Amino acid sequence: MIKIPYLTALSTYFSYGLLFAFGQFRDFFRKIFDSWHSSNLQGYAPICLGLEDFYIRRLYLRIQDCFGRPISSSPGAWFDVVERHSNDNNKTLKRTTKVTRCLNLGSYNYLGFAAADEYCTPRVIETLKRFSPSTCSPRVDGGTTILHNELEVCVANFVGKPAAIVFGMGYVTNSAILPVLIGKGGLIISDSLNHNSIVNGARGSGATVRVFQHNTPSHLEEVLRQQIAEGQPRTHRPWKKIIVIVEGIYSMEGELCKLPEIVAICKKYKAYVYLDEAHSIGAVGKTGRGVCELLGVDTADVDIMMGTFTKSFGSCGGYIAGSKELIQYLKYTCPAHLYATSISPPAAQQIISSIKVILGEDGSSRGAQKLARIRENSNFFRSELQKMGFEVLGDNDSPVMPIMLYNPAKIPAFSRECLKQNVAVVTVAFPATPLLLARARICISASHTKEDLLKALEVISQVGDLVGIKYFPAESDKQHQEPGALKLE
Protein backbone atom coordinates (compact mmCIF):
# COMPACT_ATOMS: atom_id res chain seq x y z
CA MET A 1 0.00 0.00 0.00
CA ILE A 2 1.48 3.34 -1.13
CA LYS A 3 0.43 6.48 0.76
CA ILE A 4 0.41 9.65 -1.36
CA PRO A 5 0.25 13.08 0.35
CA TYR A 6 -2.91 14.89 -0.74
CA LEU A 7 -1.01 17.83 -2.24
CA THR A 8 1.21 15.47 -4.24
CA ALA A 9 -1.78 13.49 -5.49
CA LEU A 10 -3.59 16.69 -6.45
CA SER A 11 -0.61 18.11 -8.38
CA THR A 12 -0.07 14.77 -10.14
CA TYR A 13 -3.72 14.57 -11.24
CA PHE A 14 -3.54 18.20 -12.39
CA SER A 15 -0.34 17.60 -14.40
CA TYR A 16 -1.72 14.58 -16.21
CA GLY A 17 -5.03 16.40 -16.78
CA LEU A 18 -3.19 19.33 -18.34
CA LEU A 19 -1.16 17.05 -20.60
CA PHE A 20 -4.29 15.17 -21.62
CA ALA A 21 -6.23 18.36 -22.39
CA PHE A 22 -3.48 19.94 -24.48
CA GLY A 23 -2.85 16.60 -26.23
CA GLN A 24 -6.49 16.26 -27.21
CA PHE A 25 -6.50 19.90 -28.36
CA ARG A 26 -3.50 19.29 -30.61
CA ASP A 27 -4.95 16.03 -31.93
CA PHE A 28 -8.15 17.84 -32.89
CA PHE A 29 -6.28 20.34 -35.06
CA ARG A 30 -4.05 17.56 -36.40
CA LYS A 31 -7.13 15.79 -37.79
CA ILE A 32 -8.30 19.01 -39.45
CA PHE A 33 -4.93 19.65 -41.13
CA ASP A 34 -4.52 16.00 -42.14
CA SER A 35 -7.93 16.03 -43.83
CA TRP A 36 -6.60 18.62 -46.29
CA HIS A 37 -3.83 16.33 -47.50
CA SER A 38 -4.29 13.13 -49.50
CA SER A 39 -2.84 9.95 -48.07
CA ASN A 40 -1.90 6.57 -49.50
CA LEU A 41 -3.61 5.00 -46.48
CA GLN A 42 -7.10 6.33 -47.14
CA GLY A 43 -9.64 3.67 -46.25
CA TYR A 44 -7.29 1.91 -43.80
CA ALA A 45 -7.95 1.85 -40.09
CA PRO A 46 -5.18 3.53 -38.01
CA ILE A 47 -2.57 0.90 -37.18
CA CYS A 48 -1.83 2.66 -33.86
CA LEU A 49 -4.93 3.59 -31.97
CA GLY A 50 -6.06 4.08 -28.38
CA LEU A 51 -4.95 5.72 -25.17
CA GLU A 52 -1.56 3.99 -25.27
CA ASP A 53 -0.79 5.58 -28.64
CA PHE A 54 -1.96 8.96 -27.33
CA TYR A 55 0.25 8.56 -24.24
CA ILE A 56 3.30 7.69 -26.36
CA ARG A 57 2.87 10.64 -28.71
CA ARG A 58 1.91 13.30 -26.20
CA LEU A 59 3.98 12.36 -23.14
CA TYR A 60 6.55 9.62 -23.73
CA LEU A 61 8.14 11.20 -26.82
CA ARG A 62 8.69 14.42 -24.87
CA ILE A 63 10.90 12.61 -22.37
CA GLN A 64 12.19 9.62 -24.34
CA ASP A 65 15.79 10.80 -23.88
CA CYS A 66 15.42 9.44 -20.32
CA PHE A 67 14.77 5.91 -21.61
CA GLY A 68 16.70 3.46 -23.78
CA ARG A 69 20.03 5.21 -23.32
CA PRO A 70 22.67 3.26 -25.28
CA ILE A 71 25.85 2.19 -23.50
CA SER A 72 29.25 1.31 -24.98
CA SER A 73 30.79 -0.84 -22.26
CA SER A 74 29.94 -3.73 -19.99
CA PRO A 75 27.26 -2.86 -17.38
CA GLY A 76 29.55 -2.94 -14.35
CA ALA A 77 29.49 -0.58 -11.38
CA TRP A 78 30.46 2.17 -13.85
CA PHE A 79 29.68 2.19 -17.56
CA ASP A 80 29.91 4.43 -20.63
CA VAL A 81 26.67 6.13 -21.66
CA VAL A 82 26.48 7.31 -25.28
CA GLU A 83 25.27 10.88 -25.61
CA ARG A 84 22.33 11.66 -27.92
CA HIS A 85 20.78 14.82 -29.30
CA SER A 86 17.54 15.79 -30.97
CA ASN A 87 16.67 18.46 -33.51
CA ASP A 88 12.89 17.92 -33.36
CA ASN A 89 11.98 18.27 -29.68
CA ASN A 90 12.81 14.67 -28.79
CA LYS A 91 10.67 13.06 -31.49
CA THR A 92 13.82 11.40 -32.80
CA LEU A 93 17.20 10.98 -31.11
CA LYS A 94 20.57 10.66 -32.84
CA ARG A 95 23.63 9.12 -31.26
CA THR A 96 26.86 11.10 -31.07
CA THR A 97 30.45 9.90 -30.73
CA LYS A 98 30.68 11.28 -27.20
CA VAL A 99 30.41 9.01 -24.16
CA THR A 100 30.07 9.82 -20.47
CA ARG A 101 31.43 7.59 -17.72
CA CYS A 102 28.55 7.12 -15.26
CA LEU A 103 27.86 5.33 -12.02
CA ASN A 104 25.46 2.51 -12.90
CA LEU A 105 22.38 2.37 -10.67
CA GLY A 106 20.08 0.81 -13.26
CA SER A 107 21.40 -2.60 -14.35
CA TYR A 108 20.34 -5.89 -12.73
CA ASN A 109 23.99 -6.72 -12.10
CA TYR A 110 23.32 -7.85 -8.54
CA LEU A 111 26.48 -9.92 -7.96
CA GLY A 112 28.76 -8.10 -10.40
CA PHE A 113 29.08 -10.94 -12.92
CA ALA A 114 28.08 -8.71 -15.87
CA ALA A 115 31.61 -7.32 -16.05
CA ALA A 116 34.77 -9.34 -16.70
CA ASP A 117 35.36 -11.96 -14.00
CA GLU A 118 38.62 -13.72 -13.27
CA TYR A 119 36.95 -17.16 -13.13
CA CYS A 120 33.97 -16.87 -15.50
CA THR A 121 35.33 -14.85 -18.42
CA PRO A 122 38.22 -17.15 -19.50
CA ARG A 123 35.85 -20.15 -19.49
CA VAL A 124 33.24 -18.26 -21.51
CA ILE A 125 35.87 -17.29 -24.10
CA GLU A 126 37.05 -20.90 -24.35
CA THR A 127 33.44 -22.06 -24.80
CA LEU A 128 32.91 -19.48 -27.55
CA LYS A 129 35.91 -20.88 -29.45
CA ARG A 130 34.74 -24.46 -29.00
CA PHE A 131 30.96 -24.20 -29.54
CA SER A 132 30.39 -20.86 -31.41
CA PRO A 133 27.95 -18.10 -30.33
CA SER A 134 24.77 -20.03 -31.21
CA THR A 135 23.59 -23.60 -31.68
CA CYS A 136 21.35 -22.40 -34.56
CA SER A 137 18.83 -25.07 -33.60
CA PRO A 138 16.08 -25.92 -31.08
CA ARG A 139 16.88 -28.23 -28.21
CA VAL A 140 15.07 -31.21 -29.77
CA ASP A 141 17.07 -31.00 -33.01
CA GLY A 142 20.76 -30.09 -32.82
CA GLY A 143 20.56 -27.50 -30.09
CA THR A 144 21.47 -29.58 -27.03
CA THR A 145 25.15 -29.54 -26.11
CA ILE A 146 26.86 -31.11 -23.12
CA LEU A 147 26.75 -27.63 -21.57
CA HIS A 148 22.95 -27.52 -21.68
CA ASN A 149 22.70 -30.84 -19.85
CA GLU A 150 25.30 -29.75 -17.31
CA LEU A 151 23.50 -26.44 -16.80
CA GLU A 152 20.15 -28.12 -16.08
CA VAL A 153 21.73 -30.40 -13.47
CA CYS A 154 23.60 -27.43 -11.98
CA VAL A 155 20.45 -25.30 -11.71
CA ALA A 156 18.36 -28.11 -10.22
CA ASN A 157 20.98 -28.75 -7.53
CA PHE A 158 21.38 -25.02 -6.83
CA VAL A 159 17.67 -24.30 -6.28
CA GLY A 160 16.99 -27.60 -4.50
CA LYS A 161 14.66 -29.38 -6.94
CA PRO A 162 14.99 -32.80 -8.63
CA ALA A 163 15.17 -31.46 -12.21
CA ALA A 164 15.22 -28.30 -14.31
CA ILE A 165 14.78 -27.10 -17.89
CA VAL A 166 16.43 -23.96 -19.33
CA PHE A 167 15.32 -21.50 -22.02
CA GLY A 168 17.04 -18.78 -24.02
CA MET A 169 14.86 -15.90 -22.76
CA GLY A 170 13.54 -15.09 -19.30
CA TYR A 171 10.31 -13.43 -20.47
CA VAL A 172 9.40 -16.45 -22.58
CA THR A 173 9.98 -18.76 -19.63
CA ASN A 174 6.79 -17.44 -18.04
CA SER A 175 4.74 -16.59 -21.12
CA ALA A 176 5.37 -19.96 -22.83
CA ILE A 177 5.26 -22.23 -19.78
CA LEU A 178 1.94 -21.18 -18.25
CA PRO A 179 -0.20 -22.17 -21.29
CA VAL A 180 1.42 -25.63 -21.11
CA LEU A 181 0.81 -26.07 -17.40
CA ILE A 182 -2.86 -25.09 -17.35
CA GLY A 183 -5.74 -24.50 -19.75
CA LYS A 184 -9.51 -24.31 -19.98
CA GLY A 185 -11.16 -25.52 -16.80
CA GLY A 186 -8.19 -24.46 -14.70
CA LEU A 187 -7.86 -21.50 -12.35
CA ILE A 188 -4.90 -19.12 -12.05
CA ILE A 189 -4.77 -16.86 -9.00
CA SER A 190 -2.17 -14.17 -9.59
CA ASP A 191 -0.73 -11.38 -7.46
CA SER A 192 -2.01 -8.02 -8.70
CA LEU A 193 1.55 -6.76 -9.31
CA ASN A 194 2.97 -9.80 -11.06
CA HIS A 195 5.26 -9.20 -14.05
CA ASN A 196 3.87 -8.71 -17.55
CA SER A 197 5.32 -12.06 -18.67
CA ILE A 198 3.09 -13.79 -16.10
CA VAL A 199 0.08 -11.72 -17.14
CA ASN A 200 0.51 -12.60 -20.82
CA GLY A 201 1.19 -16.25 -20.05
CA ALA A 202 -1.95 -16.46 -17.90
CA ARG A 203 -4.07 -14.78 -20.58
CA GLY A 204 -2.73 -17.10 -23.27
CA SER A 205 -3.44 -20.23 -21.25
CA GLY A 206 -7.22 -20.09 -21.64
CA ALA A 207 -7.60 -20.68 -17.91
CA THR A 208 -9.81 -18.51 -15.70
CA VAL A 209 -7.68 -15.80 -14.08
CA ARG A 210 -8.39 -14.19 -10.73
CA VAL A 211 -6.25 -11.59 -8.97
CA PHE A 212 -5.57 -11.09 -5.26
CA GLN A 213 -4.38 -7.92 -3.56
CA HIS A 214 -0.65 -7.48 -3.76
CA ASN A 215 1.23 -9.62 -1.24
CA THR A 216 -1.86 -10.05 0.95
CA PRO A 217 -2.23 -13.70 2.05
CA SER A 218 -5.58 -13.06 3.76
CA HIS A 219 -7.12 -11.85 0.50
CA LEU A 220 -5.57 -14.79 -1.35
CA GLU A 221 -7.35 -17.16 1.03
CA GLU A 222 -10.60 -15.26 0.53
CA VAL A 223 -10.32 -15.55 -3.27
CA LEU A 224 -9.39 -19.23 -3.06
CA ARG A 225 -12.29 -20.08 -0.78
CA GLN A 226 -14.78 -18.20 -2.96
CA GLN A 227 -13.55 -19.72 -6.23
CA ILE A 228 -13.50 -23.27 -4.87
CA ALA A 229 -17.04 -22.83 -3.57
CA GLU A 230 -18.35 -21.43 -6.86
CA GLY A 231 -16.42 -23.72 -9.22
CA GLN A 232 -16.10 -23.13 -12.95
CA PRO A 233 -18.19 -20.39 -14.60
CA ARG A 234 -21.66 -21.50 -15.75
CA THR A 235 -21.18 -25.23 -15.06
CA HIS A 236 -19.98 -24.84 -11.43
CA ARG A 237 -17.92 -27.99 -11.83
CA PRO A 238 -14.80 -28.32 -9.66
CA TRP A 239 -11.67 -26.71 -11.08
CA LYS A 240 -9.38 -29.13 -12.90
CA LYS A 241 -6.34 -27.43 -11.41
CA ILE A 242 -5.52 -24.32 -9.35
CA ILE A 243 -2.17 -22.50 -9.59
CA VAL A 244 -1.21 -19.55 -7.37
CA ILE A 245 1.50 -17.36 -8.93
CA VAL A 246 3.75 -15.03 -6.92
CA GLU A 247 7.19 -13.42 -7.28
CA GLY A 248 10.12 -13.73 -4.89
CA ILE A 249 11.02 -10.04 -5.16
CA TYR A 250 8.57 -7.80 -6.98
CA SER A 251 10.61 -5.96 -9.59
CA MET A 252 8.80 -2.61 -9.39
CA GLU A 253 8.22 -2.65 -5.64
CA GLY A 254 11.37 -4.20 -4.19
CA GLU A 255 9.19 -6.18 -1.78
CA LEU A 256 9.81 -9.73 -0.64
CA CYS A 257 6.96 -12.17 -1.14
CA LYS A 258 5.19 -13.36 2.03
CA LEU A 259 5.99 -16.88 0.95
CA PRO A 260 5.55 -18.85 4.20
CA GLU A 261 1.96 -17.64 4.64
CA ILE A 262 1.11 -18.13 0.96
CA VAL A 263 2.51 -21.68 0.94
CA ALA A 264 0.51 -22.54 4.05
CA ILE A 265 -2.72 -21.30 2.42
CA CYS A 266 -2.03 -23.18 -0.81
CA LYS A 267 -1.43 -26.39 1.14
CA LYS A 268 -4.70 -25.89 2.97
CA TYR A 269 -6.70 -25.55 -0.27
CA LYS A 270 -4.62 -28.00 -2.37
CA ALA A 271 -3.44 -25.35 -4.85
CA TYR A 272 -0.10 -25.47 -6.67
CA VAL A 273 2.50 -22.74 -5.95
CA TYR A 274 4.32 -21.13 -8.88
CA LEU A 275 7.22 -18.95 -7.68
CA ASP A 276 8.95 -16.47 -10.01
CA GLU A 277 12.44 -15.81 -8.62
CA ALA A 278 13.75 -13.62 -11.45
CA HIS A 279 15.03 -10.94 -9.05
CA SER A 280 15.65 -13.06 -5.96
CA ILE A 281 17.59 -16.13 -7.09
CA GLY A 282 21.29 -15.54 -6.53
CA ALA A 283 20.68 -12.17 -4.85
CA VAL A 284 19.19 -13.08 -1.46
CA GLY A 285 19.65 -15.89 1.03
CA LYS A 286 22.77 -16.94 2.91
CA THR A 287 24.09 -18.91 -0.07
CA GLY A 288 22.17 -17.06 -2.78
CA ARG A 289 19.40 -19.62 -3.16
CA GLY A 290 16.62 -17.04 -3.13
CA VAL A 291 13.58 -16.31 -0.99
CA CYS A 292 13.01 -19.92 0.05
CA GLU A 293 16.37 -19.92 1.79
CA LEU A 294 15.93 -16.37 3.12
CA LEU A 295 12.44 -16.97 4.55
CA GLY A 296 12.95 -20.58 5.65
CA VAL A 297 10.58 -22.24 3.17
CA ASP A 298 11.25 -25.82 2.11
CA THR A 299 11.64 -25.93 -1.68
CA ALA A 300 9.61 -29.14 -1.67
CA ASP A 301 6.59 -26.99 -0.75
CA VAL A 302 6.98 -24.89 -3.93
CA ASP A 303 5.71 -26.89 -6.89
CA ILE A 304 7.11 -24.84 -9.78
CA MET A 305 10.19 -22.64 -9.36
CA MET A 306 10.98 -20.17 -12.12
CA GLY A 307 13.95 -17.85 -12.41
CA THR A 308 16.11 -15.95 -14.87
CA PHE A 309 19.86 -15.76 -15.48
CA THR A 310 19.85 -12.08 -16.49
CA LYS A 311 20.17 -10.62 -13.00
CA SER A 312 22.51 -12.34 -10.58
CA PHE A 313 24.39 -14.53 -13.07
CA GLY A 314 25.39 -11.99 -15.72
CA SER A 315 23.94 -13.99 -18.60
CA CYS A 316 20.61 -14.51 -20.40
CA GLY A 317 17.73 -16.98 -20.36
CA GLY A 318 15.53 -18.57 -17.73
CA TYR A 319 14.68 -21.86 -16.05
CA ILE A 320 11.86 -23.92 -14.62
CA ALA A 321 12.67 -26.31 -11.76
CA GLY A 322 10.35 -28.92 -10.32
CA SER A 323 9.71 -32.65 -10.14
CA LYS A 324 11.25 -34.97 -12.73
CA GLU A 325 7.79 -35.77 -14.07
CA LEU A 326 6.98 -32.08 -14.56
CA ILE A 327 10.25 -31.28 -16.34
CA GLN A 328 9.93 -34.34 -18.61
CA TYR A 329 6.40 -33.25 -19.51
CA LEU A 330 7.61 -29.73 -20.36
CA LYS A 331 10.35 -31.12 -22.60
CA TYR A 332 7.71 -32.93 -24.62
CA THR A 333 5.16 -30.10 -24.82
CA CYS A 334 6.64 -26.62 -24.28
CA PRO A 335 6.95 -24.57 -27.52
CA ALA A 336 9.92 -22.63 -26.14
CA HIS A 337 11.81 -25.94 -25.84
CA LEU A 338 10.54 -27.54 -29.06
CA TYR A 339 10.77 -24.62 -31.48
CA ALA A 340 12.99 -21.84 -30.08
CA THR A 341 16.75 -21.78 -30.53
CA SER A 342 18.49 -23.07 -27.41
CA ILE A 343 20.42 -20.85 -25.04
CA SER A 344 23.80 -19.73 -26.39
CA PRO A 345 26.66 -22.04 -25.25
CA PRO A 346 28.84 -19.15 -23.97
CA ALA A 347 25.82 -17.85 -22.02
CA ALA A 348 25.30 -21.33 -20.56
CA GLN A 349 28.95 -21.49 -19.52
CA GLN A 350 28.66 -18.07 -17.86
CA ILE A 351 25.78 -19.36 -15.73
CA ILE A 352 27.58 -22.56 -14.76
CA SER A 353 30.76 -20.66 -13.84
CA SER A 354 28.93 -17.98 -11.83
CA ILE A 355 27.02 -20.62 -9.84
CA LYS A 356 30.34 -22.32 -9.05
CA VAL A 357 31.72 -18.99 -7.79
CA ILE A 358 28.63 -18.43 -5.64
CA LEU A 359 28.97 -21.90 -4.11
CA GLY A 360 32.73 -21.55 -3.61
CA GLU A 361 33.50 -24.35 -6.06
CA ASP A 362 36.04 -22.11 -7.80
CA GLY A 363 38.33 -22.60 -4.81
CA SER A 364 37.78 -19.12 -3.36
CA SER A 365 35.43 -17.30 -1.00
CA ARG A 366 34.50 -14.62 -3.57
CA GLY A 367 30.94 -15.92 -3.85
CA ALA A 368 30.28 -15.55 -0.12
CA GLN A 369 31.88 -12.11 -0.19
CA LYS A 370 29.64 -11.02 -3.07
CA LEU A 371 26.52 -12.20 -1.24
CA ALA A 372 27.54 -10.40 1.95
CA ARG A 373 28.36 -7.24 0.00
CA ILE A 374 25.07 -7.09 -1.94
CA ARG A 375 23.17 -7.44 1.33
CA GLU A 376 25.26 -4.79 3.11
CA ASN A 377 25.15 -2.38 0.15
CA SER A 378 21.39 -2.75 -0.28
CA ASN A 379 20.51 -2.24 3.38
CA PHE A 380 22.93 0.68 3.77
CA PHE A 381 21.66 2.48 0.65
CA ARG A 382 18.00 1.95 1.53
CA SER A 383 18.52 3.18 5.08
CA GLU A 384 20.37 6.33 3.95
CA LEU A 385 17.70 7.21 1.37
CA GLN A 386 14.98 6.90 4.00
CA LYS A 387 16.94 9.07 6.42
CA MET A 388 17.11 11.77 3.73
CA GLY A 389 13.33 11.86 3.46
CA PHE A 390 12.74 9.95 0.21
CA GLU A 391 9.77 7.61 -0.06
CA VAL A 392 11.50 4.29 -0.71
CA LEU A 393 9.54 1.11 -1.35
CA GLY A 394 10.57 -2.45 -0.60
CA ASP A 395 12.09 -4.54 2.17
CA ASN A 396 15.53 -4.96 3.70
CA ASP A 397 17.89 -7.34 1.84
CA SER A 398 16.20 -6.49 -1.47
CA PRO A 399 18.63 -4.93 -4.00
CA VAL A 400 15.69 -3.22 -5.74
CA MET A 401 14.64 0.09 -4.21
CA PRO A 402 12.12 2.34 -5.96
CA ILE A 403 12.13 6.05 -5.09
CA MET A 404 8.67 7.53 -5.63
CA LEU A 405 8.43 10.49 -8.05
CA TYR A 406 4.65 10.62 -8.77
CA ASN A 407 4.47 13.83 -10.82
CA PRO A 408 5.15 13.37 -14.59
CA ALA A 409 7.35 16.48 -14.72
CA LYS A 410 9.65 14.98 -12.10
CA ILE A 411 10.38 11.88 -14.19
CA PRO A 412 12.64 13.60 -16.75
CA ALA A 413 13.87 16.18 -14.24
CA PHE A 414 15.24 13.53 -11.87
CA SER A 415 16.76 11.42 -14.65
CA ARG A 416 18.41 14.31 -16.51
CA GLU A 417 19.80 16.00 -13.41
CA CYS A 418 21.35 12.76 -12.17
CA LEU A 419 22.92 12.15 -15.58
CA LYS A 420 24.44 15.63 -15.53
CA GLN A 421 26.33 14.55 -12.41
CA ASN A 422 27.41 11.22 -13.96
CA VAL A 423 24.88 9.03 -12.17
CA ALA A 424 22.73 6.87 -14.45
CA VAL A 425 19.34 5.93 -13.02
CA VAL A 426 16.26 4.20 -14.43
CA THR A 427 12.94 6.01 -14.21
CA VAL A 428 9.75 3.99 -14.58
CA ALA A 429 6.30 5.21 -15.53
CA PHE A 430 3.07 4.04 -17.14
CA PRO A 431 2.45 1.39 -18.49
CA ALA A 432 5.09 -0.39 -16.38
CA THR A 433 3.50 1.18 -13.28
CA PRO A 434 0.06 2.66 -12.56
CA LEU A 435 -0.33 6.13 -14.05
CA LEU A 436 0.04 8.00 -10.75
CA LEU A 437 2.88 5.93 -9.32
CA ALA A 438 5.95 6.92 -11.38
CA ARG A 439 9.25 6.13 -9.72
CA ALA A 440 13.01 5.85 -10.09
CA ARG A 441 14.15 2.27 -9.62
CA ILE A 442 17.59 1.90 -8.07
CA CYS A 443 19.36 -1.46 -8.45
CA ILE A 444 22.32 -2.03 -6.15
CA SER A 445 25.22 -4.33 -7.03
CA ALA A 446 27.87 -6.18 -5.06
CA SER A 447 30.38 -4.48 -7.37
CA HIS A 448 29.53 -1.05 -5.94
CA THR A 449 32.13 0.20 -3.48
CA LYS A 450 31.36 2.31 -0.42
CA GLU A 451 32.71 5.34 -2.30
CA ASP A 452 30.31 4.61 -5.19
CA LEU A 453 27.34 4.48 -2.86
CA LEU A 454 28.31 7.68 -1.03
CA LYS A 455 28.67 9.53 -4.34
CA ALA A 456 25.28 8.23 -5.48
CA LEU A 457 23.65 9.29 -2.22
CA GLU A 458 25.18 12.76 -2.44
CA VAL A 459 23.96 13.27 -6.03
CA ILE A 460 20.49 11.82 -5.38
CA SER A 461 20.10 13.99 -2.29
CA GLN A 462 21.02 17.14 -4.23
CA VAL A 463 18.72 16.26 -7.11
CA GLY A 464 15.97 15.29 -4.67
CA ASP A 465 16.11 18.77 -3.14
CA LEU A 466 16.15 20.40 -6.57
CA VAL A 467 13.26 18.37 -7.99
CA GLY A 468 11.25 18.25 -4.77
CA ILE A 469 10.81 14.52 -4.18
CA LYS A 470 11.74 14.35 -0.51
CA TYR A 471 8.16 13.78 0.58
CA PHE A 472 9.08 13.17 4.22
CA PRO A 473 11.23 15.24 6.59
CA ALA A 474 14.81 14.12 7.08
CA GLU A 475 15.28 11.72 9.98
CA SER A 476 16.72 14.34 12.32
CA ASP A 477 13.59 16.47 11.83
CA LYS A 478 11.07 13.68 11.45
CA GLN A 479 8.44 13.68 14.18
CA HIS A 480 5.57 11.90 12.55
CA GLN A 481 4.26 10.96 9.13
CA GLU A 482 2.15 13.49 7.27
CA PRO A 483 -1.45 12.98 8.45
CA GLY A 484 -3.18 13.71 5.13
CA ALA A 485 -2.50 10.94 2.65
CA LEU A 486 -4.23 8.97 -0.05
CA LYS A 487 -3.73 5.22 -0.21
CA LEU A 488 -3.17 3.67 -3.62
CA GLU A 489 -2.33 0.12 -4.61
Side-chain angles (χ1 to χ4, degrees), residues 365-410:
S365 61
R366 289 194 307 123
Q369 292 171 8
K370 285 176 178 287
L371 290 167
R373 197 176 305 121
I374 182 64
R375 183 170 57 252
E376 291 168 4
N377 285 355
S378 299
N379 292 339
F380 167 75
F381 204 81
R382 182 184 302 278
S383 173
E384 292 302 307
L385 287 175
Q386 290 171 337
K387 289 176 183 177
M388 292 174 181
F390 292 102
E391 183 173 1
V392 185
L393 305 185
D395 297 316
N396 283 338
D397 289 347
S398 169
V400 182
M401 47 201 75
I403 301 173
M404 298 308 297
L405 303 177
Y406 298 118
N407 197 292
K410 296 180 180 182

Side-chain angles (χ1 to χ4, degrees), residues 52-71:
E52 287 81 3
D53 176 55
F54 176 84
Y55 178 86
I56 290 169
R57 289 186 291 103
R58 297 306 180 198
L59 194 147
Y60 174 80
L61 290 181
R62 295 171 182 264
I63 62 173
Q64 69 165 328
D65 60 298
C66 300
F67 306 98
R69 289 174 177 145
I71 65 172

Side-chain angles (χ1 to χ4, degrees), residues 278-343:
H279 287 268
S280 54
I281 192 66
V284 298
K286 186 177 180 180
T287 60
R289 287 180 165 89
V291 291
C292 288
E293 181 179 51
L294 180 67
L295 302 177
V297 175
D298 189 345
T299 55
D301 293 330
V302 179
D303 304 285
I304 304 119
M305 299 182 73
M306 177 271 176
T308 64
F309 304 122
T310 52
K311 281 78 177 176
S312 297
F313 307 101
S315 188
C316 62
Y319 69 85
I320 293 288
S323 66
K324 290 182 178 179
E325 294 78 14
L326 170 65
I327 300 305
Q328 195 64 37
Y329 171 74
L330 294 177
K331 288 183 176 181
Y332 289 142
T333 57
C334 181
H337 181 80
L338 298 173
Y339 306 115
T341 301
S342 61
I343 190 171

Side-chain angles (χ1 to χ4, degrees), residues 6-22 407-409 436:
Y6 282 120
L7 186 59
T8 302
L10 186 63
S11 66
T12 303
Y13 275 120
F14 178 78
S15 298
Y16 276 113
L18 200 64
L19 285 167
F20 184 83
F22 274 96
N407 197 292
L436 298 184

